[in-house]
Amino acid sequence: MENLKIMENTRIIKNLRTIENTTKKRAGFVTFWLWLGIIANIITPIASVINYQGYKNLGNYGMQLINLGVDISSFSSEVGIYVTALQAFAVIASVLLIIAYSQLLKWNKRGFYIFIVVTVLNVIANPLLLKGISSVWMKYGLLLNVNTTLLIVSPLVSVLILWAILQIKKDGVSCWKQLELSKSDKITE
């Protein structure tokens, strides 16, 4: 009998959540932006594999290093550590960002906080890893231009852009005001 009550209560709660979610409305552009974020973060790991391999593939520099007697395999293995770390970080960050955007689509403010955490990790990890790659290139007499300012500022600007987009109103109410923390995230007094 108790199990029936629990099942009925669970069904009622699910129905209430469904009704609540259907009464919430967001501007079409906000929905578009959140889906664009999901799609972009599905593509990012693939693009990063192609892009970061360029740090190991020297192109024109390769012939210069061979002419100077540099062991190319040594160079590739030293740079490879940083490239692998960058690729792993890109995949992990993309998965977390897909979760963040999905949470925002489900009206959960936790998604925005996940987005901030990933941004902070980006601001710390990317410049460090790219500086590591750059130092290996310099060790072999090559120059890799790393714009650290851009690596720090662009993720921070992305948080502000997302926050601003969540301020767009539909029927006089912003998406931001409709976001909630899930029941398990709320602090009880």
Side-chain angles (χ1 to χ4, degrees):
M1 189 67 151
E2 248 180 78
N3 285 340
L4 249 85
K5 284 183 182 181
I6 291 171
M7 288 172 50
E8 180 65 21
N9 288 341
T10 304
R11 189 182 60 75
I12 291 170
I13 290 170
K14 284 181 181 177
N15 287 340
L16 287 174
R17 285 186 183 156
T18 303
I19 292 168
E20 179 182 292
N21 286 340
T22 57
T23 59
K24 293 180 180 181
K25 295 180 181 176
R26 70 170 68 90
F29 181 75
V30 176
T31 302
F32 166 77
W33 188 264
L34 297 175
W35 276 107
L36 183 65
I38 290 172
I39 292 166
N41 282 288
I42 290 170
I43 295 170
T44 296
I46 298 163
S48 71
V49 167
I50 295 166
N51 183 38
Y52 296 148
Q53 289 305 316
Y55 292 124
K56 291 194 313 190
N57 181 4
L58 296 170
N60 293 334
Y61 289 124
M63 192 52 77
Q64 291 174 359
L65 289 175
I66 291 170
N67 290 338
L68 293 172
V70 173
D71 181 13
I72 298 296
S73 63
S74 172
F75 172 86
S76 289
S77 66
E78 286 184 57
V79 171
I81 295 167
Y82 293 105
V83 170
T84 302
L86 266 173
Q87 288 171 333
F89 182 75
V91 169
I92 292 167
S94 289
V95 168
L96 289 173
L97 288 172
I98 289 169
I99 292 168
Y101 284 115
S102 298
Q103 289 295 308
L104 289 170
L105 280 169
K106 293 177 182 177
W107 301 101
N108 194 330
K109 198 177 276 190
R110 182 185 332 148
F112 187 75
Y113 299 129
I114 294 169
F115 192 87
I116 290 173
V117 168
V118 173
T119 298
V120 169
L121 292 174
N122 268 326
V123 165
I124 294 168
N126 281 335
L128 289 174
L129 291 170
L130 286 170
K131 285 291 185 183
I133 292 172
S134 180
S135 69
V136 173
W137 276 53
M138 287 175 63
K139 177 180 168 183
Y140 288 93
L142 303 173
L143 179 63
L144 176 64
N145 187 14
V146 177
N147 188 339
T148 308
T149 305
L150 186 63
L151 289 172
I152 292 172
V153 172
S154 63
L156 297 175
V157 169
S158 70
V159 171
L160 295 175
I161 291 171
L162 178 60
W163 181 81
I165 287 172
L166 292 173
Q167 300 307 311
I168 296 173
K169 293 180 180 181
K170 170 113 182 198
D171 297 334
V173 182
S174 73
C175 182
W176 180 258
K177 286 188 178 179
Q178 296 180 72
L179 295 176
E180 298 178 355
L181 290 172
S182 68
K183 302 285 185 226
S184 63
D185 294 338
K186 290 185 180 176
I187 300 171
T188 55
E189 296 178 13

